[in-house]
Amino acid sequence: MADSIALVVEDEKDLARIFAKALRGAGFEVEMVHAGDEAIQWLRENTPALVVLDLQLPGASGPDVFAYIRKLQKLSEMVTIIVTAYPHIADDLTNEADCVLFKPLNHAELRALAERLSPAASADEGAGAKDRGSKEE
């Protein structure tokens, strides 16, 4: 698994850039795709540490991408954050995802979550972590 790579799967390109900026601020390298079938193809060839996954996508749906993620052993330790404006769609995935966020959400909220979930934060916990907090850009 690539410890510092995050994949953003979001069809709204402006929102994908906001997510990417938040994740970069938390220390991740970020890749973006804008359709579910593109996400599945990317995940066949790569193993990120974290995925931010919208549920309403062209191509393969977000739930289909999530099912693909959960069935692959190589992705079993990857953190999955589901982002949606439709709580009823997320209901079935809430217990399986690492985190479910509801739109609209802000940059600072996603960045703070990414910082808590980053591999560097996990390493810090074992060595007396510093409180890095949420920083606005």
Side-chain angles (χ1 to χ4, degrees):
M1 180 175 336
D3 286 344
S4 64
I5 295 177
L7 175 65
V8 174
V9 186
E10 171 62 65
D11 60 321
E12 295 179 44
K13 292 180 181 176
D14 289 341
L15 194 51
R17 284 191 283 275
I18 291 168
F19 293 163
K21 182 177 180 182
L23 292 165
R24 284 186 191 105
F28 286 94
E29 276 183 55
V30 179
E31 297 288 332
M32 293 186 289
V33 296
H34 304 292
D37 50 345
E38 292 173 7
I40 289 171
Q41 180 61 39
W42 193 92
L43 290 164
R44 278 189 188 121
E45 301 168 9
N46 301 280
T47 307
L50 182 145
V51 169
V52 175
L53 176 63
D54 183 24
L55 292 182
Q56 295 287 99
L57 296 167
S61 71
D64 288 344
V65 174
F66 185 74
Y68 179 81
I69 289 168
R70 288 299 182 231
K71 80 175 185 178
L72 284 185
Q73 179 63 36
K74 77 173 193 161
L75 302 176
S76 65
E77 294 186 32
M78 181 183 70
V79 173
T80 305
I81 300 171
I82 291 177
V83 180
T84 186
Y86 305 98
H88 65 280
I89 296 174
D91 283 346
D92 294 337
L93 304 176
T94 301
N95 292 330
E96 296 178 48
D98 295 292
C99 183
V100 177
L101 299 175
F102 297 102
K103 294 177 184 177
L105 65 141
N106 65 42
H107 173 268
E109 180 181 15
L110 182 60
R111 181 172 173 177
L113 177 61
E115 286 177 345
R116 286 194 307 271
L117 297 174
S118 75
S122 297
D124 287 346
E125 285 175 12
K130 295 185 261 179
D131 181 11
R132 298 186 301 175
S134 170
K135 300 174 200 158
E136 292 286 333
E137 286 190 14

